[in-house]
Amino acid sequence: MSKESMSRFSISTQITQLGRDPAQQSGFVNTPVYRGSTVVFPTVSDIENNRAEFNYGTAGTPTIANLENAWTQLAGAAGTVLSPSGLGAIALALFTTLKSGDHLLMPDSVYKPTRLFCAGMLAKMGIETTYYDPQIGTDIETLFRPNTTTLFLESPGSQSFEIQDIPAMTALAKRRNIATILDNTWATPIFFKAHEHGCDLSVEAGTKYLGGHSDLLMGIVSANEQWWPKLREAYDLMAMLPGAEDCFLALRGLRTMHLRLKEAEKRGLEMAHWLKSRPEVLKVLHPAFPDCPGHEFWKRDFLGASGLFSIILRPEYTKAGVDDMLDNMSIFAMGYSWGGFESLIIPFNCANYRTVTQWQPGGLALRLQIGLEDVSDLQTDLAEGFERLNAHQS
Ligand SMILES: Cc1ncc(COP(=O)(O)O)c(C=O)c1O
């Protein structure tokens, strides 16, 4: 079906249809796994004139193209490229917009490995990074320099969940010809339309909600009309692409992504409200809660909330108590990635890496990923954990 005719359908219908064409697949429903390096050309004229739908494995295969095209449609982009990981996609987006001597703006709440990439790779190339308060809003303009070429955004912020005023910030950047890149992993294009809100490039760690089963690493970068040729050029120059089976798994994940995100939203909110009512919890950092920094922007711009949020415990609790709570959970496991079917919980402390904002939440912090287990079982697991936590108070 053409892009135009697909657009009249709702997202849940679109993701069942995008990136597959049974008529081209001997009638089979799903796009097969194309593995390949060499593409053969029938004639000298064809090879000399590069006349082929695909000319080499790194330039793409039908499996890759189907995933890219599906994402382009879902994101409302001009084009999409893939990467073997979310962090790889962030690097690819930054390499697309930056060159030696440029200045980059990064939110202080950014995913920590993005920060390490700036310090470890971009600095070596003579690219300077300035960190900004994720709540800076239109004052971002005061940090623009003549050589600022990229404004990076991540909304909500990793672990701390501040929501940024993306339309206002991207509009200011546009006036100065500064490219904007958003890490949209938390919301995905289902809950936030990055390009409609002014972002030039949008990055997704497909590792999370696209894969959805904690068994896939995948990065995606989509671009608007202005940036698409430059993004494709950067991708072609590096040819860092995911494996064929991973693209197949990502296409399979796409089919249920809407359903899983809606469920993650419902369960996440149920758990967040329950946690807010618990005496052990000082604060819940969830974008859909009015006291979450930048909640008004979430309400105005987003179409939903995924299942990842944080809580702050009351100040009387100790690390020993939290260790006992987390070491002995029955369902919640500890692990860094998220967006899978299973519930996770980790302790974190943004003060360990922030450089321009203070992280003083008032107590120890935990990040939760709510999976597909029964909500009352999850509450029981946490309630038992809180008992262990309380047992450490004298
Ligand atoms: C917000 C965000 N962006 C990017 C990434 C990187 O994804 P990957 O693990 O695929 O490199 C992560 C991973 O946790 C993340 O949380």
Side-chain angles (χ1 to χ4, degrees), residues 275-297:
L275 283 159
K276 202 172 169 75
S277 73
R278 289 290 309 196
E280 295 82 3
V281 175
L282 179 69
K283 249 185 266 170
V284 175
L285 300 173
H286 189 298
F289 281 21
D291 56 351
C292 188
H295 164 75
E296 64 275 23
F297 306 128

PDB file of all heavy atoms in Angstrom, residues 275-297:
ATOM      1  N   LEU A 275       2.487   3.283  44.062  1.00  0.00           N
ATOM      2  CA  LEU A 275       3.727   3.660  44.754  1.00  0.00           C
ATOM      3  C   LEU A 275       3.588   5.024  45.422  1.00  0.00           C
ATOM      4  O   LEU A 275       4.106   5.257  46.513  1.00  0.00           O
ATOM      5  CB  LEU A 275       4.903   3.654  43.766  1.00  0.00           C
ATOM      6  CG  LEU A 275       5.418   2.248  43.445  1.00  0.00           C
ATOM      7  CD1 LEU A 275       6.193   2.226  42.133  1.00  0.00           C
ATOM      8  CD2 LEU A 275       6.284   1.717  44.586  1.00  0.00           C
ATOM      9  N   LYS A 276       2.876   5.924  44.750  1.00  0.00           N
ATOM     10  CA  LYS A 276       2.686   7.273  45.325  1.00  0.00           C
ATOM     11  C   LYS A 276       1.932   7.192  46.661  1.00  0.00           C
ATOM     12  O   LYS A 276       2.135   8.018  47.551  1.00  0.00           O
ATOM     13  CB  LYS A 276       1.921   8.150  44.335  1.00  0.00           C
ATOM     14  CG  LYS A 276       2.134   9.628  44.566  1.00  0.00           C
ATOM     15  CD  LYS A 276       1.505  10.453  43.450  1.00  0.00           C
ATOM     16  CE  LYS A 276       1.473  11.924  43.794  1.00  0.00           C
ATOM     17  NZ  LYS A 276       2.746  12.600  43.708  1.00  0.00           N
ATOM     18  N   SER A 277       1.080   6.176  46.794  1.00  0.00           N
ATOM     19  CA  SER A 277       0.291   6.043  48.028  1.00  0.00           C
ATOM     20  C   SER A 277       1.067   5.334  49.147  1.00  0.00           C
ATOM     21  O   SER A 277       0.591   5.232  50.270  1.00  0.00           O
ATOM     22  CB  SER A 277      -0.992   5.259  47.723  1.00  0.00           C
ATOM     23  OG  SER A 277      -0.660   3.886  47.537  1.00  0.00           O
ATOM     24  N   ARG A 278       2.232   4.832  48.839  1.00  0.00           N
ATOM     25  CA  ARG A 278       3.004   4.080  49.837  1.00  0.00           C
ATOM     26  C   ARG A 278       3.757   5.035  50.776  1.00  0.00           C
ATOM     27  O   ARG A 278       4.368   6.007  50.322  1.00  0.00           O
ATOM     28  CB  ARG A 278       4.052   3.187  49.140  1.00  0.00           C
ATOM     29  CG  ARG A 278       3.488   2.010  48.407  1.00  0.00           C
ATOM     30  CD  ARG A 278       2.917   0.948  49.296  1.00  0.00           C
ATOM     31  NE  ARG A 278       3.831   0.510  50.357  1.00  0.00           N
ATOM     32  CZ  ARG A 278       3.675  -0.618  51.056  1.00  0.00           C
ATOM     33  NH1 ARG A 278       2.647  -1.431  50.800  1.00  0.00           N
ATOM     34  NH2 ARG A 278       4.521  -0.934  52.014  1.00  0.00           N
ATOM     35  N   PRO A 279       3.764   4.740  52.076  1.00  0.00           N
ATOM     36  CA  PRO A 279       4.447   5.642  53.017  1.00  0.00           C
ATOM     37  C   PRO A 279       5.966   5.689  52.813  1.00  0.00           C
ATOM     38  O   PRO A 279       6.612   6.645  53.229  1.00  0.00           O
ATOM     39  CB  PRO A 279       4.107   5.042  54.393  1.00  0.00           C
ATOM     40  CG  PRO A 279       3.680   3.633  54.127  1.00  0.00           C
ATOM     41  CD  PRO A 279       3.112   3.599  52.745  1.00  0.00           C
ATOM     42  N   GLU A 280       6.525   4.677  52.170  1.00  0.00           N
ATOM     43  CA  GLU A 280       7.988   4.640  51.990  1.00  0.00           C
ATOM     44  C   GLU A 280       8.451   5.604  50.889  1.00  0.00           C
ATOM     45  O   GLU A 280       9.637   5.918  50.775  1.00  0.00           O
ATOM     46  CB  GLU A 280       8.458   3.230  51.575  1.00  0.00           C
ATOM     47  CG  GLU A 280       8.253   2.150  52.619  1.00  0.00           C
ATOM     48  CD  GLU A 280       6.830   1.569  52.634  1.00  0.00           C
ATOM     49  OE1 GLU A 280       5.997   1.984  51.781  1.00  0.00           O
ATOM     50  OE2 GLU A 280       6.554   0.716  53.495  1.00  0.00           O
ATOM     51  N   VAL A 281       7.500   6.047  50.043  1.00  0.00           N
ATOM     52  CA  VAL A 281       7.881   6.783  48.828  1.00  0.00           C
ATOM     53  C   VAL A 281       7.692   8.287  49.025  1.00  0.00           C
ATOM     54  O   VAL A 281       6.605   8.759  49.353  1.00  0.00           O
ATOM     55  CB  VAL A 281       7.046   6.277  47.621  1.00  0.00           C
ATOM     56  CG1 VAL A 281       7.333   7.095  46.366  1.00  0.00           C
ATOM     57  CG2 VAL A 281       7.345   4.794  47.384  1.00  0.00           C
ATOM     58  N   LEU A 282       8.780   9.024  48.800  1.00  0.00           N
ATOM     59  CA  LEU A 282       8.724  10.481  48.924  1.00  0.00           C
ATOM     60  C   LEU A 282       8.157  11.102  47.652  1.00  0.00           C
ATOM     61  O   LEU A 282       7.333  12.008  47.695  1.00  0.00           O
ATOM     62  CB  LEU A 282      10.158  10.996  49.167  1.00  0.00           C
ATOM     63  CG  LEU A 282      10.360  12.501  49.299  1.00  0.00           C
ATOM     64  CD1 LEU A 282       9.739  13.008  50.589  1.00  0.00           C
ATOM     65  CD2 LEU A 282      11.859  12.824  49.280  1.00  0.00           C
ATOM     66  N   LYS A 283       8.617  10.616  46.484  1.00  0.00           N
ATOM     67  CA  LYS A 283       8.227  11.216  45.209  1.00  0.00           C
ATOM     68  C   LYS A 283       8.166  10.142  44.137  1.00  0.00           C
ATOM     69  O   LYS A 283       8.958   9.184  44.162  1.00  0.00           O
ATOM     70  CB  LYS A 283       9.320  12.203  44.765  1.00  0.00           C
ATOM     71  CG  LYS A 283       8.919  13.664  44.793  1.00  0.00           C
ATOM     72  CD  LYS A 283      10.033  14.531  44.231  1.00  0.00           C
ATOM     73  CE  LYS A 283      10.957  15.056  45.329  1.00  0.00           C
ATOM     74  NZ  LYS A 283      12.163  15.697  44.860  1.00  0.00           N
ATOM     75  N   VAL A 284       7.253  10.329  43.194  1.00  0.00           N
ATOM     76  CA  VAL A 284       7.237   9.480  41.993  1.00  0.00           C
ATOM     77  C   VAL A 284       7.584  10.386  40.822  1.00  0.00           C
ATOM     78  O   VAL A 284       6.947  11.424  40.631  1.00  0.00           O
ATOM     79  CB  VAL A 284       5.844   8.837  41.792  1.00  0.00           C
ATOM     80  CG1 VAL A 284       5.791   8.069  40.480  1.00  0.00           C
ATOM     81  CG2 VAL A 284       5.519   7.899  42.954  1.00  0.00           C
ATOM     82  N   LEU A 285       8.610  10.011  40.065  1.00  0.00           N
ATOM     83  CA  LEU A 285       8.993  10.806  38.892  1.00  0.00           C
ATOM     84  C   LEU A 285       8.411  10.129  37.655  1.00  0.00           C
ATOM     85  O   LEU A 285       9.018   9.213  37.092  1.00  0.00           O
ATOM     86  CB  LEU A 285      10.519  10.907  38.791  1.00  0.00           C
ATOM     87  CG  LEU A 285      11.215  11.569  39.979  1.00  0.00           C
ATOM     88  CD1 LEU A 285      12.736  11.470  39.851  1.00  0.00           C
ATOM     89  CD2 LEU A 285      10.794  13.031  40.114  1.00  0.00           C
ATOM     90  N   HIS A 286       7.217  10.543  37.292  1.00  0.00           N
ATOM     91  CA  HIS A 286       6.520   9.963  36.143  1.00  0.00           C
ATOM     92  C   HIS A 286       5.971  11.134  35.321  1.00  0.00           C
ATOM     93  O   HIS A 286       5.257  11.984  35.871  1.00  0.00           O
ATOM     94  CB  HIS A 286       5.381   9.058  36.648  1.00  0.00           C
ATOM     95  CG  HIS A 286       4.730   8.255  35.560  1.00  0.00           C
ATOM     96  ND1 HIS A 286       4.080   8.825  34.493  1.00  0.00           N
ATOM     97  CD2 HIS A 286       4.638   6.917  35.365  1.00  0.00           C
ATOM     98  CE1 HIS A 286       3.610   7.879  33.694  1.00  0.00           C
ATOM     99  NE2 HIS A 286       3.945   6.708  34.187  1.00  0.00           N
ATOM    100  N   PRO A 287       6.295  11.201  34.019  1.00  0.00           N
ATOM    101  CA  PRO A 287       5.883  12.363  33.217  1.00  0.00           C
ATOM    102  C   PRO A 287       4.391  12.675  33.259  1.00  0.00           C
ATOM    103  O   PRO A 287       3.989  13.830  33.088  1.00  0.00           O
ATOM    104  CB  PRO A 287       6.335  11.981  31.798  1.00  0.00           C
ATOM    105  CG  PRO A 287       7.513  11.099  32.029  1.00  0.00           C
ATOM    106  CD  PRO A 287       7.178  10.298  33.267  1.00  0.00           C
ATOM    107  N   ALA A 288       3.544  11.663  33.516  1.00  0.00           N
ATOM    108  CA  ALA A 288       2.094  11.914  33.542  1.00  0.00           C
ATOM    109  C   ALA A 288       1.620  12.474  34.883  1.00  0.00           C
ATOM    110  O   ALA A 288       0.437  12.772  35.038  1.00  0.00           O
ATOM    111  CB  ALA A 288       1.346  10.618  33.230  1.00  0.00           C
ATOM    112  N   PHE A 289       2.537  12.631  35.848  1.00  0.00           N
ATOM    113  CA  PHE A 289       2.158  13.167  37.153  1.00  0.00           C
ATOM    114  C   PHE A 289       2.433  14.682  37.175  1.00  0.00           C
ATOM    115  O   PHE A 289       3.515  15.115  36.778  1.00  0.00           O
ATOM    116  CB  PHE A 289       2.960  12.481  38.272  1.00  0.00           C
ATOM    117  CG  PHE A 289       2.438  11.114  38.640  1.00  0.00           C
ATOM    118  CD1 PHE A 289       1.648  10.388  37.751  1.00  0.00           C
ATOM    119  CD2 PHE A 289       2.721  10.552  39.877  1.00  0.00           C
ATOM    120  CE1 PHE A 289       1.164   9.125  38.084  1.00  0.00           C
ATOM    121  CE2 PHE A 289       2.238   9.297  40.224  1.00  0.00           C
ATOM    122  CZ  PHE A 289       1.459   8.579  39.323  1.00  0.00           C
ATOM    123  N   PRO A 290       1.466  15.463  37.659  1.00  0.00           N
ATOM    124  CA  PRO A 290       1.599  16.933  37.616  1.00  0.00           C
ATOM    125  C   PRO A 290       2.856  17.473  38.291  1.00  0.00           C
ATOM    126  O   PRO A 290       3.347  18.530  37.918  1.00  0.00           O
ATOM    127  CB  PRO A 290       0.341  17.433  38.335  1.00  0.00           C
ATOM    128  CG  PRO A 290      -0.635  16.317  38.168  1.00  0.00           C
ATOM    129  CD  PRO A 290       0.161  15.040  38.168  1.00  0.00           C
ATOM    130  N   ASP A 291       3.416  16.745  39.278  1.00  0.00           N
ATOM    131  CA  ASP A 291       4.608  17.291  39.939  1.00  0.00           C
ATOM    132  C   ASP A 291       5.909  16.851  39.266  1.00  0.00           C
ATOM    133  O   ASP A 291       7.000  17.137  39.753  1.00  0.00           O
ATOM    134  CB  ASP A 291       4.616  16.930  41.437  1.00  0.00           C
ATOM    135  CG  ASP A 291       4.526  15.421  41.675  1.00  0.00           C
ATOM    136  OD1 ASP A 291       4.287  14.674  40.697  1.00  0.00           O
ATOM    137  OD2 ASP A 291       4.692  14.998  42.838  1.00  0.00           O
ATOM    138  N   CYS A 292       5.827  16.163  38.127  1.00  0.00           N
ATOM    139  CA  CYS A 292       7.053  15.790  37.393  1.00  0.00           C
ATOM    140  C   CYS A 292       7.542  17.034  36.652  1.00  0.00           C
ATOM    141  O   CYS A 292       6.744  17.709  35.977  1.00  0.00           O
ATOM    142  CB  CYS A 292       6.737  14.661  36.404  1.00  0.00           C
ATOM    143  SG  CYS A 292       8.206  13.977  35.635  1.00  0.00           S
ATOM    144  N   PRO A 293       8.830  17.372  36.754  1.00  0.00           N
ATOM    145  CA  PRO A 293       9.307  18.595  36.083  1.00  0.00           C
ATOM    146  C   PRO A 293       9.011  18.551  34.572  1.00  0.00           C
ATOM    147  O   PRO A 293       9.384  17.593  33.900  1.00  0.00           O
ATOM    148  CB  PRO A 293      10.817  18.585  36.336  1.00  0.00           C
ATOM    149  CG  PRO A 293      11.035  17.614  37.455  1.00  0.00           C
ATOM    150  CD  PRO A 293       9.899  16.649  37.454  1.00  0.00           C
ATOM    151  N   GLY A 294       8.319  19.574  34.096  1.00  0.00           N
ATOM    152  CA  GLY A 294       7.977  19.635  32.668  1.00  0.00           C
ATOM    153  C   GLY A 294       6.716  18.863  32.304  1.00  0.00           C
ATOM    154  O   GLY A 294       6.424  18.669  31.123  1.00  0.00           O
ATOM    155  N   HIS A 295       5.929  18.455  33.327  1.00  0.00           N
ATOM    156  CA  HIS A 295       4.698  17.692  33.061  1.00  0.00           C
ATOM    157  C   HIS A 295       3.797  18.404  32.047  1.00  0.00           C
ATOM    158  O   HIS A 295       3.156  17.760  31.212  1.00  0.00           O
ATOM    159  CB  HIS A 295       3.929  17.477  34.376  1.00  0.00           C
ATOM    160  CG  HIS A 295       2.508  17.068  34.171  1.00  0.00           C
ATOM    161  ND1 HIS A 295       2.151  15.800  33.765  1.00  0.00           N
ATOM    162  CD2 HIS A 295       1.340  17.774  34.263  1.00  0.00           C
ATOM    163  CE1 HIS A 295       0.831  15.738  33.651  1.00  0.00           C
ATOM    164  NE2 HIS A 295       0.322  16.910  33.946  1.00  0.00           N
ATOM    165  N   GLU A 296       3.767  19.754  32.092  1.00  0.00           N
ATOM    166  CA  GLU A 296       2.877  20.505  31.181  1.00  0.00           C
ATOM    167  C   GLU A 296       3.260  20.256  29.719  1.00  0.00           C
ATOM    168  O   GLU A 296       2.394  20.270  28.842  1.00  0.00           O
ATOM    169  CB  GLU A 296       2.870  22.003  31.536  1.00  0.00           C
ATOM    170  CG  GLU A 296       4.191  22.749  31.382  1.00  0.00           C
ATOM    171  CD  GLU A 296       5.126  22.634  32.598  1.00  0.00           C
ATOM    172  OE1 GLU A 296       5.020  21.675  33.385  1.00  0.00           O
ATOM    173  OE2 GLU A 296       6.000  23.513  32.754  1.00  0.00           O
ATOM    174  N   PHE A 297       4.552  20.027  29.463  1.00  0.00           N
ATOM    175  CA  PHE A 297       4.978  19.769  28.076  1.00  0.00           C
ATOM    176  C   PHE A 297       4.580  18.351  27.656  1.00  0.00           C
ATOM    177  O   PHE A 297       4.226  18.100  26.514  1.00  0.00           O
ATOM    178  CB  PHE A 297       6.497  19.970  27.923  1.00  0.00           C
ATOM    179  CG  PHE A 297       6.959  21.312  28.408  1.00  0.00           C
ATOM    180  CD1 PHE A 297       8.010  21.425  29.311  1.00  0.00           C
ATOM    181  CD2 PHE A 297       6.312  22.467  27.987  1.00  0.00           C
ATOM    182  CE1 PHE A 297       8.419  22.661  29.780  1.00  0.00           C
ATOM    183  CE2 PHE A 297       6.710  23.712  28.451  1.00  0.00           C
ATOM    184  CZ  PHE A 297       7.765  23.811  29.351  1.00  0.00           C
TER     185      PHE A 297
END
